[in-house]
Amino acid sequence: MPSSVQRKRIRKTPEARRAEIVETAARVALTEGLECVTLRRIAEELAVRPGLISHYFPSAEDLVAEAFSVAATGELDALLPADRPHGSPTQYLARYFALSGGEAYDDISRLWINARHLSRYRPVLRDRVAEQELASDDRLSDLIREGVERGEFRTDDPRAAAIQILVVVDGLGAHANTDRSDRPEAVTRMAVTTAERELGLRYGALTEVRLPAELVAPTGQAGPTDPAESTDPADSTGPAQLAEPTEPTNSA
Amino acid sequence: MPSSVQRKRIRKTPEARRAEIVETAARVALTEGLECVTLRRIAEELAVRPGLISHYFPSAEDLVAEAFSVAATGELDALLPADRPHGSPTQYLARYFALSGGEAYDDISRLWINARHLSRYRPVLRDRVAEQELASDDRLSDLIREGVERGEFRTDDPRAAAIQILVVVDGLGAHANTDRSDRPEAVTRMAVTTAERELGLRYGALTEVRLPAELVAPTGQAGPTDPAESTDPADSTGPAQLAEPTEPTNSA
DNA sequence: GATGCTATTGAGTGTGCGACCAATAAGCAA
DNA sequence: TTGCTTATTGGTCGCACACTCAATAGCATC
């Protein structure tokens, strides 16, 4: 009996296989970093041979870019849903900041740092990063615009307000890989403060919001518990080698 | 006669060799990225064999960390000198923001993104990043504190103000590898705006400052010093031409 | 049950990386 | 000049990576 290795081939439709490759790549990207999205690593996750990944993604760079896009899109939808049937703009914005402060947000911050750095060397990824930044701007701009229309927010330029908020969120998230324990309260609160200022809200308006039950549970994500198959975060040593600027010389 | 390759060994003192290794590594880190700081790459720059780099840095990770530290320290000194004999705190702060906006700052932003990401996997580098962040906080805090003492700035917590400014600078710099051409003016100006708000300065106080010639030329580099304008009336004595701090805008 | 399409494998290529170590020679001191 | 210390070399090893391609086998169809 083949105890350890799986001998039997499992043949899937190209669509299904491709989907599971992308899904796995996105998960690895989010939890362990884009450098860990390698042909071997993803193949191992799916118990297939690396050549198969190559078959679906002839250029590994495309898989990395796709992994980022999928992961970032999923996170954006979880943090700032496009459809907001369960509350007011103020409530959804308050929810966004509440989630942004949590530790779960560190993975997303790390992913963005990762992608922004890696896009220095990888043009395909760079385009995706720009695309996702635009999507974030749009999503938040829409929320703000709706809030203005409803009379909850006040600003002349919803987009400028949105970008300013996101710049602060980025600035705070930049330290996701470092220690942030001794930050003054004013700093921890910067994103909220910026939003309150730019949207004409009083201090505390976004932190004292009471959220309806539907907005408390994280959306899109799997349930609160995922019993089995939790990858051990401790032993993920990251990319084995520095690796990765495969040819940084031809920066073109 | 050796045509292409250098055959003759050049034997240097350990101190000199080590210094030039670190210097080269810092330059490569700043211009091409920390991933390019490899034994082979640095050895090639210095026309020596990779084993020699290993001899001075038995662990390559230490060299990468050292390269970052040296590069970051050098840039910090250039942007925010510890000794400020040529102007007021307001002038040095204005100079800092003027330099932060320039394209030369992109290299530094890239380096920081690079280091913050890589420190996810490399504990030695992570410590250095924390160290350099602290140094930046301290440097800017000192500047602000001096400004408060001189009556140029007004804030209850110089350090919190400094960190908030740096968070915004980080947030803006996060996009150093992406396109930033269509940013609203309010966003481009965010760092300055934050400083003016947190330090009790009127809008424009930090952008209308006239800098003495000594502060125009980048420090450390021997640049052609501005020939004219050496007779700046408001020299190093006090607040340049901005009058007194105005009321904090609205946050209070 | 046989057939054919093609998803999947296995094997191999070449690159770059860090780490290791015995042999070598540069340059100082005797 | 000779000798000695040690900075420096040259070579090797093992590893991880992307990429290529002929051979194989799963499985839907007949």
Side-chain angles (χ1 to χ4, degrees):
Chain A
M1 276 298 284
S3 60
S4 59
V5 292
Q6 180 177 11
R7 314 200 153 281
K8 190 92 160 81
R9 293 186 183 182
I10 298 177
R11 189 187 174 107
K12 303 193 174 184
T13 68
E15 298 73 30
R17 188 62 92 183
R18 189 183 179 91
E20 94 180 338
I21 289 173
V22 168
E23 182 188 7
T24 301
R27 179 171 47 80
V28 170
L30 190 58
T31 57
E32 301 175 44
L34 292 166
E35 285 87 347
C36 295
V37 178
T38 64
L39 302 184
R40 284 169 171 74
R41 183 77 174 76
I42 303 304
E44 189 186 15
E45 291 279 319
L46 294 172
V48 297
R49 313 267 64 199
L52 183 61
I53 313 296
S54 273
H55 173 69
Y56 286 95
F57 289 88
S59 167
E61 188 176 351
D62 292 338
L63 176 58
V64 173
E66 186 68 15
F68 167 73
S69 278
V70 170
T73 297
E75 294 302 324
L76 177 60
D77 288 340
L79 291 169
L80 272 179
D83 297 321
R84 298 181 290 271
H86 296 304
S88 66
T90 301
Q91 287 173 321
Y92 273 96
L93 189 58
R95 173 178 176 274
Y96 170 69
F97 288 122
L99 294 176
S100 301
E103 293 216 348
Y105 193 72
D106 279 0
D107 275 347
I108 313 165
S109 293
R110 275 189 266 265
L111 177 66
W112 274 99
I113 299 173
N114 196 166
R116 289 199 167 110
H117 165 62
L118 217 55
S119 66
R120 174 177 187 169
Y121 307 109
R122 319 195 100 117
V124 183
L125 179 61
R126 181 158 55 232
D127 290 344
R128 300 300 192 96
V129 168
E131 187 180 302
Q132 291 295 326
E133 280 174 354
L134 202 61
S136 300
D137 290 352
D138 289 343
R139 190 67 61 86
L140 185 53
S141 295
D142 285 345
L143 175 66
I144 292 176
R145 203 169 291 113
E146 187 190 332
V148 170
E149 288 169 3
R150 292 210 202 179
E152 298 179 22
F153 306 149
R154 188 173 60 245
T155 177
D156 290 337
D157 190 341
R159 184 166 197 87
I163 299 180
Q164 288 185 66
I165 293 169
L166 290 173
V167 163
V168 174
V169 170
D170 285 343
L172 291 169
H175 304 72
N177 292 319
T178 335
D179 179 45
R180 289 149 291 164
S181 54
D182 54 352
R183 268 181 180 167
E185 168 66 14
V187 174
T188 308
R189 207 185 176 285
M190 267 187 81
V192 177
T193 304
T194 302
E196 289 168 346
R197 181 186 350 106
E198 294 301 319
L199 302 180
L201 302 173
R202 65 171 175 80
Y203 183 98
L206 287 172
T207 49
E208 300 160 1
V209 175
R210 176 140 186 83
L211 297 182
E214 294 89 346
L215 295 195
V216 175
T219 65
Q221 297 289 30
T225 56
D226 196 354
E229 203 62 35
S230 65
T231 55
D232 188 9
D235 69 349
S236 67
T237 57
Q241 317 194 38
L242 279 202
E244 285 326 315
T246 48
E247 43 185 336
T249 50
N250 63 347
S251 58
Chain B
M1 181 171 179
S3 58
S4 57
V5 293
Q6 179 178 11
R7 315 200 153 283
K8 189 90 162 80
R9 294 186 184 182
I10 298 177
R11 189 187 173 108
K12 303 192 175 183
T13 68
E15 298 73 31
R17 186 62 91 183
R18 189 183 179 90
E20 87 179 346
I21 289 173
V22 169
E23 181 188 7
T24 301
R27 178 171 48 78
V28 171
L30 191 58
T31 57
E32 301 175 45
L34 292 166
E35 286 87 348
C36 295
V37 178
T38 65
L39 302 184
R40 285 169 172 78
R41 182 77 172 77
I42 303 303
E44 189 185 15
E45 290 280 319
L46 294 171
V48 297
R49 315 297 325 173
L52 184 61
I53 314 296
S54 272
H55 174 68
Y56 286 96
F57 289 88
S59 167
E61 188 177 350
D62 292 338
L63 176 59
V64 173
E66 186 68 15
F68 166 74
S69 278
V70 170
T73 297
E75 295 302 325
L76 177 60
D77 288 341
L79 290 170
L80 272 177
D83 296 321
R84 299 180 289 271
H86 297 303
S88 66
T90 300
Q91 287 174 321
Y92 273 97
L93 188 57
R95 173 177 175 275
Y96 171 69
F97 288 122
L99 294 175
S100 302
E103 293 217 347
Y105 193 73
D106 278 1
D107 276 347
I108 312 166
S109 294
R110 275 189 265 264
L111 176 67
W112 274 99
I113 299 172
N114 195 168
R116 289 198 167 112
H117 165 62
L118 216 55
S119 67
R120 174 178 188 170
Y121 307 111
R122 315 206 105 88
V124 183
L125 179 61
R126 181 158 54 231
D127 289 344
R128 300 301 192 95
V129 168
E131 187 180 302
Q132 290 295 325
E133 280 174 352
L134 202 60
S136 299
D137 289 352
D138 288 344
R139 190 68 60 86
L140 185 53
S141 295
D142 284 347
L143 175 66
I144 292 175
R145 203 168 290 115
E146 188 189 332
V148 170
E149 288 170 3
R150 291 210 201 181
E152 298 178 23
F153 306 149
R154 188 170 60 244
T155 177
D156 290 337
D157 190 341
R159 184 166 197 87
I163 298 180
Q164 289 185 66
I165 292 169
L166 290 174
V167 163
V168 174
V169 171
D170 284 343
L172 292 169
H175 304 72
N177 292 318
T178 337
D179 180 45
R180 290 148 292 164
S181 55
D182 54 352
R183 268 182 179 165
E185 168 67 12
V187 173
T188 308
R189 208 186 175 284
M190 269 186 80
V192 177
T193 304
T194 302
E196 289 168 347
R197 181 186 349 108
E198 295 301 320
L199 302 180
L201 302 173
R202 65 171 175 80
Y203 183 97
L206 287 173
T207 49
E208 299 161 2
V209 175
R210 179 142 186 80
L211 297 181
E214 293 88 347
L215 295 195
V216 174
T219 64
Q221 291 285 18
T225 49
D226 198 345
E229 312 296 343
S230 60
T231 59
D232 197 21
D235 217 354
S236 62
T237 54
Q241 66 183 41
L242 72 112
E244 32 199 335
T246 59
E247 202 67 21
T249 55
N250 53 4
S251 60

